[in-house]
């Protein structure tokens, strides 16, 4: 119920922004309104490991999870645009297993499981300042995402868990437009799942106990993804197509 | 003998030419004639930003005119023994009232009309030319002064420049001037021209009779009793000058010429009459240029000075009326400081004129200008710009809530008791209410001044006796009242319906580097990008993109079979120059002012009416600023900021001032204007292009801005 209310509020925000279109005022850039964008969100693996599994060292601050995001964006007014995007990312999670039934021998250990995430999202960008004008300049972005994931633990036997997570994030960034077509952007983002921010920190430093389903894998993966989603910086390259 | 005969024939041709121009002095403008010089054509075709093409682009360069031909004759005399050098030199005239001349590295000598207008004889012009020819012969290059460099470097450059000037003076006299038959006696006068050339054409007292008549007098406080004496100092400190001071140059020249034999040498090798005519043309053009530059008091005072010599010349009368109109409008708009410098900055008798116009109020300048323009209206009813100005001033009185009934019918100082109140007698004899009302109507009623009447209220007393003035005045005021109603009843024709009548002027684009010096390469690149943006935006919005391009003036862009003939090129060039002057004048005046120049639109671009002009100035900001260094430090600490820093580091930071206007050429009114200034921003080219598109979009949608 709570999630539905948030979704409703975000939808209202987007629709309101879209309705700001003023027919007398040019909202396009040189007559073009549609952008295709490709971005990567670099999320530092300081809370959770990335798929390179180097989270134990200081280097974890300089290694990242990568969220690949193609998107389509439509200019709706001089200072705003809306868009839809697709997410794809792969990451890891640590799990602990303790299985005394495998091959009739006691087997225990820590391994890294794989998480594959596909997701969809919508966003609204509000450009700010005198030198900003859609689609370039400094902007704030408000985004709503839904993630659908598969989490796989291989040991002691293969377990596949499926789940979903809804989250929202805000970003601040700057778009540069070159040759009236090519857009390059950078941004910082902060995001939280709709279930609240507490979960992000709940499972820090702990591993999922994969032994005979002793704990809730979906809750653990959700927290894991929320940690990845919590902080990121984005690099975009886009084309103002038509 | 043949040479003498040829000179006489040319002189006769000049005189015939000048006589024919004399009759049209009324609207005199110095124009190019004949074939465009090949070297100028190459400048235009290459379309690069440099000193000569910038002047050309501004419509300031003249070729083939009587003035050019006269100066060419002088150059022939100076280079009589150097035909090869003569063939390398092209003389062009600059329509600028400044006393100056330049030599370019490619043999172009640029002579300002100001130096001819201030000269006393032909030999003084010959000295100027000999100096500039020497610069070219000695291959002196222009020294660019970069004031951001260390001061000792600047001082060294100034010193080098002064040395070059001394060399050019010496070589000019000994090599070129000596080869001619011009008199050495001209040198004293020449240095006087350099020293006092900033002053008007003569130093005559500013006469009260110019602005007063029997009907009214201005307060004594409006007239300066003692003007500042003209400074005679010629030995000023020249350490920061590109030229040695006048005293040094005069002494050096005198030292060279004092032992020279002056036998057979003359101040005029062409006739003195011809010189006077040529100088008159230059003086007329100087006044034109002052009016175009809105230097109204200068134009007014110099027209007054010249009118003393030639009272029947209508050009001066018109120039003075136009100047008064400009002054009145700027006073009305409270922007007179834009056109009237403080009187204390001036010396000599002209100071009194500056003082008067500073003191006179808007209510006094308006009738003063009306008086001058009405005089023209009576004698030149076909003078449309002056009629429009007159109408505009009468409309201004309506805005001040002043009708003819606010102006006295009796001159200032008339004893009130002696005025017969005829109309009252009529009123009293009439028993009919409506009869009394009609007899009291403004066209019939004579206005008796009261003790509270101000000076301006007496200024139309003589004109009010003229029934044609009263009718004209009333008609204009009625029109103003009707226009107010018509504005409500009939919506004005939206600009969007007139898109087919648009034509685009080649945009102005200037790019300054970090040191404030124009970067020609980036200016050219920016200009091309701006043109592309205009073209692309117009195409997208389905606006006809008709342009007038500087490059087309030399026949550029046409194949050999469709290349127009040389006279057509000159006609095209003159039209372009007229347009440039019109633009300069129209864009410098207040929005509701009437431009004094008229333009034949069909000659410029047939079927067009609205001119689209855009101007952009971009300034490159310093790449490494405090904030950027702080970004780098921040990035070193927190690697997540690196993409931001990299982006900010490589994307240039610029400041931009951009403007786009649409002017109705038939009325001179600006129908659309938008401008924006952005300081130290990224994405400046994109912002500029967005601005262009947005402006055209706004015009297309309604044209209200």
């Amino acid at each position: 119920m709570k999630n539905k209310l948030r979704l409703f509020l975000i939808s209202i925000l987007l629709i309101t922004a879209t309705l700001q279109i003023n027919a007398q005022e040019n909202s396009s850039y040189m007559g073009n309104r549609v952008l295709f964008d490709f971005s990567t969100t670099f999320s530092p693996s300081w809370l959770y490991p990335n798929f390179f599994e180097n989270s134990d060292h200081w280097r974890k601050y300089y290694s990242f999870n990568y969220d690949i995001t193609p998107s389509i964006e439509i200019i709706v007014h001089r200072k705003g645009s809306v868009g839809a995007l697709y997410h794809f990312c792969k990451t890891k999670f640590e799990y602990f297993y303790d299985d005394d039934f495998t091959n009739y021998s006691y087997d225990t250990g820590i391994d890294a499981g794989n998480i594959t995430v596909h997701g969809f999202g919508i966003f609204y960008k509000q450009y700010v300042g005198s030198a900003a004008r859609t689609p370039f300049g400094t902007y704030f972005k408000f985004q709503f995402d839904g993630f659908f994931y598969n989490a796989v633990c291989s040991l002691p036997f293969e377990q596949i868990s499926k789940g979903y997570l809804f989250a929202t994030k805000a970003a601040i960034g700057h778009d540069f437009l070159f040759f009236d077509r090519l857009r390059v952007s950078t941004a910082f983002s902060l995001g939280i799942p709709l279930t609240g921010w507490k979960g992000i920190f709940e499972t820090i430093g702990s591993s999922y106990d994969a032994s005979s389903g002793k704990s809730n894998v979906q809750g653990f993966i959700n927290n894991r993804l929320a940690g990845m989603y919590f902080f990121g910086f984005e690099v975009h390259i886009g084309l103002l197509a038509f | 003998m043949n040479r003498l005969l040829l000179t006489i024939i040319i002189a006769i041709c000049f005189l015939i030419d000048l006589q024919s121009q004399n009759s049209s002095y009324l609207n005199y403008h110095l124009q190019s004639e004949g074939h465009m010089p090949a070297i100028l054509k190459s400048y235009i075709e290459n379309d690069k930003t440099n000193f000569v093409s910038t002047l050309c682009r501004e419509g300031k360069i003249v070729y083939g005119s009587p003035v050019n031909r006269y100066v060419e004759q002088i150059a022939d005399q100076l280079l009589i023994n150097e035909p090869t050098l003569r063939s390398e030199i092209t003389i062009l005239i600059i329509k600028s009232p400044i006393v100056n001349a330049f030599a370019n590295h490619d043999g172009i000598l640029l002579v300002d009309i100001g130096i001819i207008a201030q000269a006393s004889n032909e030999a003084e012009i010959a000295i100027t030319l000999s100096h500039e020819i020497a610069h070219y012969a000695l291959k002196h290059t222009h020294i660019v002064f970069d004031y951001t460099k260390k001061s000792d470097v600047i001082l060294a450059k100034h010193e080098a420049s002064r040395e070059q000037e001394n060399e050019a003076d010496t070589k000019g006299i000994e090599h070129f001037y000596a080869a001619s038959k011009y008199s050495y006696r001209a040198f004293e006068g020449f240095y006087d021209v350099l020293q006092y050339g900033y002053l008007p054409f003569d130093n005559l007292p500013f006469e009260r009779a110019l602005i007063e008549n029997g009907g009214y007098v201005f307060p004594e406080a409006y007239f300066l009793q003692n003007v500042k004496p003209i400074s005679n100092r010629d030995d000023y400190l020249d350490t920061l000058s590109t030229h040695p001071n006048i005293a040094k140059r005069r002494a050096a020249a005198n030292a060279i010429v004092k032992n020279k034999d002056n036998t057979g040498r003359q101040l005029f090798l062409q006739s003195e009459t011809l010189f006077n005519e040529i100088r008159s043309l230059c003086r007329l053009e100087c006044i034109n240029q002052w009016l175009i530059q809105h230097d109204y008091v200068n134009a007014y005072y110099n027209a007054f000075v010249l009118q003393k010599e030639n009272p029947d010349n209508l050009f001066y009368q018109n120039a003075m009326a136009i100047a008064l109109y400009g002054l009145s409008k700027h006073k009305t708009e409270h922007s007179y400081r834009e056109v009237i410098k403080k009187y204390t900055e001036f010396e000599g008798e002209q100071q009194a004129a500056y003082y008067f116009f500073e003191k006179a109020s808007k209510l006094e300048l308006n009738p003063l200008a009306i008086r001058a323009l009405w005089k023209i209206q009576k004698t030149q009813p076909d003078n449309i710009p002056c009629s429009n100005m007159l109408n505009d001033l009468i409309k201004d009185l309506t805005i001040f809530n002043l009708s003819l009934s606010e102006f006295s019918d009796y001159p200032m100082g008339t004893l009130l008791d002696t005025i017969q109140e005829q109309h009252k007698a009529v009123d009293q004899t009439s028993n009919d209410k409506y009869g009394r009302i009609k007899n009291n109507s403004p066209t019939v009623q004579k206005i008796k001044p009261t003790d509270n009447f101000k000076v301006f209220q007496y200024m139309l007393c003589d004109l009010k006796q003229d029934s044609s003035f009263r009718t004209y005045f009333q008609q204009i005021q009625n029109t103003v009242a009707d226009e107010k109603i018509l504005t409500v009843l009939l919506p004005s024709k939206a600009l969007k319906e007139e898109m087919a009548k648009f034509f685009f002027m080649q945009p102005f684009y200037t790019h300054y580097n970090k040191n404030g010096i124009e970067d020609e390469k980036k200016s050219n690149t920016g200009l091309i990008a701006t043109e592309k943006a205009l073209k692309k935006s117009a195409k997208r919005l389905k606006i006809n993109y008709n342009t007038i391009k500087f490059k087309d003036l030399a026949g550029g862009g046409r194949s050999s079979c469709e290349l127009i003939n040389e006279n057509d090129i000159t006609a095209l060039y003159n039209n372009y120059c007229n347009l440039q002057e019109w633009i300069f004048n129209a864009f410098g005046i207040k929005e509701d002012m009437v431009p004094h120049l008229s333009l034949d639109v069909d000659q410029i671009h047939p079927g067009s009416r609205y001119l689209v002009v855009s101007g952009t100035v971009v300034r490159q900001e310093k790449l490494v600023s405090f904030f950027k260094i702080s970004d780098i430090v921040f990035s070193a600490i927190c690697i997540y900021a690196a993409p931001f820093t990299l982006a900010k580091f490589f994307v240039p930071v610029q400041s931009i001032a951009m403007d786009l206007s649409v002017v109705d050429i038939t009325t001179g009114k600006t129908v659309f204007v938008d401008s924006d200034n952005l300081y130290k921003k990224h994405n400046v080219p994109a912002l500029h292009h967005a601005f262009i598109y947005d402006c055209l979009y706004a015009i297309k949608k309604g044209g209200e801005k």
Side-chain angles (χ1 to χ4, degrees):
Chain A
M1 188 64 197
K2 209 173 179 180
N3 285 357
K4 281 181 182 173
L5 180 67
R6 285 179 187 169
L7 185 64
F8 175 73
L9 289 174
I10 290 167
S11 304
I12 292 291
L13 179 73
L14 289 176
I15 291 164
T16 311
T18 312
L19 290 176
Q20 285 183 27
I21 299 169
N22 182 348
Q24 284 301 309
E25 187 181 72
N26 171 43
S27 52
S28 66
Y29 175 80
M30 302 276 289
N32 298 320
R33 285 173 181 275
V34 180
L35 290 112
F36 293 108
D37 189 275
F38 183 86
S39 79
T40 304
T41 305
F42 296 86
S43 176
S45 54
W46 49 304
L47 290 180
Y48 293 100
N50 67 358
F51 58 90
F52 295 120
E53 304 174 55
N54 55 2
S55 60
D56 289 340
H57 306 94
W58 63 269
R59 285 196 300 275
K60 67 186 177 186
Y61 295 103
Y62 299 102
S63 60
F64 305 97
N65 289 295
Y66 304 94
D67 180 12
I68 312 292
T69 313
S71 67
I72 183 167
E73 186 178 330
I74 297 164
I75 299 168
V76 289
H77 62 103
R78 287 171 66 88
K79 296 276 188 182
S81 63
V82 293
L85 48 85
Y86 166 75
H87 289 283
F88 174 73
C89 76
K90 278 186 166 183
T91 187
K92 300 271 185 183
F93 70 104
E94 285 177 318
Y95 65 90
F96 167 79
Y97 63 92
D98 179 3
D99 188 355
D100 51 357
F101 299 105
T102 310
N103 297 328
Y104 304 100
S105 62
Y106 188 78
D107 188 8
T108 185
I110 294 175
D111 193 20
N114 293 315
I115 308 174
T116 305
V117 183
H118 297 274
F120 301 93
I122 50 172
F123 64 84
Y124 170 71
K125 278 166 88 170
Q126 176 69 46
Y127 288 85
V128 291
S130 59
R133 194 205 179 294
T134 330
F136 58 84
T138 304
Y139 65 84
F140 289 102
K141 183 169 74 171
F142 305 98
Q143 187 170 316
F144 174 77
D145 292 305
F147 295 104
F148 303 92
Y149 59 82
N150 282 341
V152 180
C153 306
S154 309
L155 293 171
F157 52 87
E158 189 171 279
Q159 297 178 59
I160 301 173
S161 305
K162 290 187 177 181
Y164 62 89
L165 175 73
F166 291 105
T168 183
K169 77 174 175 184
I172 179 169
H174 196 91
D175 286 334
F176 299 94
L177 188 69
F178 302 101
F179 319 117
D180 295 334
R181 290 278 180 200
L182 181 68
R183 191 177 71 172
V184 179
S185 321
T186 54
F188 287 107
S189 68
L190 280 175
I192 55 166
L194 295 186
T195 49
W197 60 273
K198 285 180 182 171
I200 300 168
F201 306 101
E202 267 179 9
T203 50
I204 293 176
S206 63
S207 301
Y208 167 60
D209 185 353
S211 308
S212 307
K214 286 178 184 171
S215 61
N216 173 14
V217 66
Q218 286 183 347
F220 188 88
I221 301 297
N222 280 359
N223 291 344
R224 169 73 187 82
L225 289 179
M228 193 184 89
Y229 194 71
F230 175 61
F231 175 74
F233 62 93
E234 304 171 3
V235 177
H236 296 251
I237 184 158
L239 183 75
L240 181 59
F242 53 87
Chain B
M1 184 62 192
N2 283 345
R3 192 182 296 275
L4 181 67
L5 194 64
L6 190 66
T7 311
I8 291 168
I9 291 168
I10 290 169
I12 290 168
C13 291
F14 271 158
L15 285 174
I16 292 168
D17 189 16
L18 292 171
Q19 283 304 315
S20 65
Q21 285 180 359
N22 249 338
S23 58
S24 61
Y25 265 177
L26 185 58
N27 292 311
Y28 179 75
H29 286 281
L30 191 60
Q31 300 251 294
S32 297
E33 293 174 21
H35 292 192
M36 181 183 277
I39 194 163
L40 186 62
K41 207 180 271 187
S42 72
Y43 269 100
I44 293 171
E45 279 170 347
N46 291 334
D47 199 11
K48 284 185 179 166
T49 308
N50 54 44
F51 182 64
V52 177
S53 68
T54 301
L55 282 170
C56 200
R57 197 185 284 274
E58 289 171 358
K60 293 291 179 198
I61 287 184
V62 178
Y63 59 86
S65 73
V67 180
N68 290 74
R69 298 200 293 271
Y70 182 78
V71 180
E72 294 271 2
Q73 287 287 314
I74 298 173
D76 288 347
Q77 294 292 335
L78 295 169
L79 296 172
I80 198 159
N81 300 327
E82 308 221 22
T84 313
L85 184 58
R86 179 67 188 93
S87 66
E88 291 172 18
I89 283 174
T90 306
I91 295 171
L92 299 171
I93 299 295
I94 309 176
K95 288 197 276 185
S96 160
I98 295 168
V99 175
N100 211 347
F102 305 90
N104 208 31
H105 63 91
D106 50 11
I108 290 183
L109 299 193
L110 297 154
V111 182
D112 291 64
I113 50 167
I115 203 160
I116 305 171
Q118 293 283 4
S120 306
N121 51 57
E122 187 183 326
E124 288 174 359
I125 303 169
I127 297 169
T128 310
L129 284 184
S130 63
H131 174 89
E132 298 306 330
I133 293 168
H135 270 308
Y136 172 69
L138 290 165
K139 300 197 185 310
H140 287 162
T141 51
H142 286 297
I143 295 174
V144 178
F145 293 90
D146 183 351
Y147 290 98
T148 59
K149 297 279 166 56
K150 285 169 67 179
S151 61
D152 52 344
V153 177
I154 298 172
L155 290 177
K157 283 190 172 182
H158 278 112
E159 196 175 344
S161 173
R162 287 197 299 276
E163 279 174 18
Q164 286 189 356
E165 294 302 326
N166 284 331
E167 273 183 71
D169 273 348
T170 309
K171 172 128 183 161
I173 298 167
E174 292 190 332
H175 201 80
F176 303 116
Y177 195 82
S180 72
K181 295 286 180 197
Y182 286 111
S183 170
Y184 290 118
R185 284 191 291 111
F187 277 87
E188 196 57 34
F190 171 72
Y191 288 106
D192 285 343
V193 171
L194 294 189
Q195 187 175 352
Y196 301 112
Y198 66 95
L199 292 168
F201 299 130
D202 207 342
N203 191 37
L204 302 179
F206 182 61
E207 291 176 3
R208 290 181 71 148
L210 264 178
I211 42 173
E212 290 177 343
N213 74 356
Y216 64 93
V217 288
F218 288 108
E220 285 300 319
Y222 285 18
F223 299 96
L224 198 61
Q225 299 305 318
N226 299 305
V227 297
K228 194 199 287 183
I230 294 166
S231 166
N232 289 319
R233 193 175 175 200
D234 59 359
D235 59 347
Y236 49 87
L237 194 64
D238 57 10
T239 317
L240 287 174
S241 300
T242 54
H243 288 60
N245 67 38
I246 304 287
K248 285 180 191 167
R249 292 182 73 182
R250 195 193 297 265
N254 285 339
I256 298 170
V257 302
K258 71 178 177 187
N259 296 323
K260 301 267 186 194
D261 182 12
N262 206 37
T263 314
R265 291 178 169 272
Q266 294 172 348
L267 291 174
F268 298 96
L269 295 185
Q270 301 175 74
S271 78
E272 189 172 352
T273 316
L274 182 60
F275 169 77
N276 288 334
E277 290 290 349
I278 293 294
R279 188 175 64 174
S280 292
L281 295 184
C282 290
R283 287 179 169 184
L284 294 180
E285 190 55 38
C286 282
I287 290 174
N288 275 332
Q289 293 301 318
W290 282 318
L291 288 174
I292 289 167
Q293 294 164 14
H294 319 113
D295 192 353
Y296 296 118
V297 183
N298 210 354
Y300 185 86
Y301 182 80
N302 280 288
F304 149 69
V305 164
L306 296 176
Q307 196 182 35
K308 296 290 277 183
E309 293 171 10
N310 194 352
D312 299 328
N313 193 322
L314 294 176
F315 178 92
Y316 304 128
Q317 185 188 327
N318 286 8
M320 289 163 82
I322 293 164
L324 285 173
Y325 169 77
L327 290 165
S328 167
K329 290 298 286 186
H330 280 275
K331 278 269 177 173
T332 304
E333 299 282 338
H334 304 288
S335 57
Y336 70 98
R337 269 285 167 249
E338 292 172 16
V339 293
I340 311 176
K341 287 181 191 163
K342 200 158 172 55
Y343 77 96
T344 49
E345 292 178 27
F346 297 91
E347 53 189 29
E349 297 294 343
Q350 61 169 335
Q351 195 186 24
Y354 281 91
Y355 186 80
F356 170 77
F357 287 114
E358 194 168 313
K359 293 288 173 192
S361 71
K362 63 181 180 185
L363 290 175
E364 288 159 348
L365 284 178
N366 180 296
L368 199 59
I370 286 179
R371 294 178 63 84
L373 288 164
W374 177 250
K375 204 173 166 185
I376 293 170
Q377 177 73 14
K378 293 281 274 182
T379 53
Q380 308 158 37
D382 298 336
N383 193 330
I384 304 298
C386 283
S387 294
N388 290 340
M389 287 180 208
L390 177 63
N391 300 349
D392 193 33
L393 290 171
I394 295 172
K395 282 178 188 173
D396 277 357
L397 285 180
T398 314
I399 294 165
F400 301 149
N401 285 326
L402 291 171
S403 62
L404 274 183
S405 58
E406 314 294 330
F407 290 88
S408 166
D409 276 87
Y410 302 95
M412 193 184 252
T414 309
L415 292 173
L416 300 182
D417 297 340
T418 64
I419 297 171
Q420 288 185 336
E421 299 183 23
Q422 295 168 345
H423 60 284
K424 283 201 172 173
V426 173
D427 288 347
Q428 283 161 2
T429 55
S430 175
N431 292 324
D432 179 16
K433 168 190 167 188
Y434 300 108
R436 287 199 299 274
I437 289 170
K438 282 176 186 173
N439 284 331
N440 268 316
S441 69
T443 50
V444 176
Q445 189 187 13
K446 282 192 177 293
I447 303 300
K448 193 175 85 168
T450 66
D451 292 340
N452 296 329
F453 264 43
K454 305 271 176 18
V455 175
F456 76 88
Q457 288 173 291
Y458 294 95
M459 289 177 72
L460 299 180
C461 67
D462 51 340
L463 298 189
K464 280 185 78 178
Q465 309 314 311
D466 181 348
S467 63
S468 61
F469 176 77
R470 286 201 308 272
T471 312
Y472 187 90
F473 192 100
Q474 200 55 52
Q475 274 175 356
I476 300 299
Q477 290 214 321
N478 290 345
T479 311
V480 177
D482 291 348
E483 275 173 3
K484 279 182 188 169
I485 297 165
L486 288 171
T487 315
V488 177
L489 293 176
L490 305 170
S492 62
K493 203 171 186 181
L495 209 51
K496 63 183 175 185
E497 292 170 25
E498 307 265 345
M499 300 304 279
K501 295 179 181 173
F502 273 52
F503 72 106
F504 290 73
M505 197 69 204
Q506 190 173 24
F508 302 96
Y509 190 99
T510 314
H511 189 113
Y512 291 106
N513 67 17
K514 285 170 277 183
N515 299 325
I517 296 168
E518 188 182 352
D519 186 329
E520 289 179 4
K521 196 176 169 189
K522 286 190 176 170
S523 289
N524 280 322
T525 313
L527 179 65
I528 292 164
T530 309
E531 281 180 326
K532 272 187 185 170
L534 274 168
K535 192 174 180 180
K536 199 171 157 185
S537 303
K539 189 180 172 189
R540 192 86 198 219
L541 292 164
K542 296 185 174 64
I543 299 171
N544 288 337
Y545 187 67
N546 305 312
T547 53
I548 293 182
K549 275 192 160 186
F550 178 63
K551 203 175 175 179
D552 294 340
L553 295 178
R558 296 178 179 85
S559 63
S560 56
C561 58
E562 57 180 1
L563 190 66
I564 51 181
N565 69 45
E566 288 292 337
N567 288 336
D568 286 345
I569 289 174
T570 298
L572 197 65
Y573 178 74
N574 282 333
N575 286 338
Y576 178 86
C577 293
N578 291 343
L579 183 63
Q580 284 295 335
E581 289 190 336
W582 190 92
I583 289 170
F584 188 88
N585 181 250
F587 280 81
I589 58 178
K590 292 282 142 192
E591 268 180 40
D592 67 337
M593 274 180 77
V594 178
H596 75 272
L597 297 173
S598 56
L599 202 61
D600 187 345
V601 191
D602 284 338
Q603 276 192 354
I604 307 287
H605 202 282
S608 297
R609 179 174 172 184
Y610 298 98
L611 177 68
V612 183
V613 182
S614 78
T616 313
V617 177
V618 173
R619 187 192 159 89
Q620 190 77 45
E621 298 295 341
K622 287 189 171 58
L623 189 64
V624 179
S625 65
F626 169 76
F627 299 104
K628 289 205 167 175
I629 291 169
S630 68
D631 287 343
I632 293 164
V633 173
F634 182 59
S635 297
I637 298 166
C638 176
I639 196 154
Y640 312 133
F644 272 111
T645 307
L646 281 172
K648 284 173 80 177
F649 195 81
F650 287 109
V651 178
V653 180
Q654 296 165 329
S655 296
I656 184 168
M658 46 201 174
D659 178 281
L660 191 141
S661 309
V662 181
V663 185
D664 184 345
I665 286 194
T666 55
T667 61
K669 300 280 181 190
T670 304
V671 290
F672 177 92
V673 62
D674 195 7
S675 62
D676 206 355
N677 291 305
L678 294 165
Y679 184 60
K680 286 190 177 178
K681 303 292 180 195
H682 294 290
N683 286 316
V684 161
L687 279 164
H688 184 213
H689 297 171
F691 171 81
I692 287 171
Y693 186 88
D694 289 353
C695 285
L696 295 186
Y697 184 91
I699 293 165
K700 178 91 176 174
K701 287 292 173 185
E704 298 293 332
K705 195 84 177 182

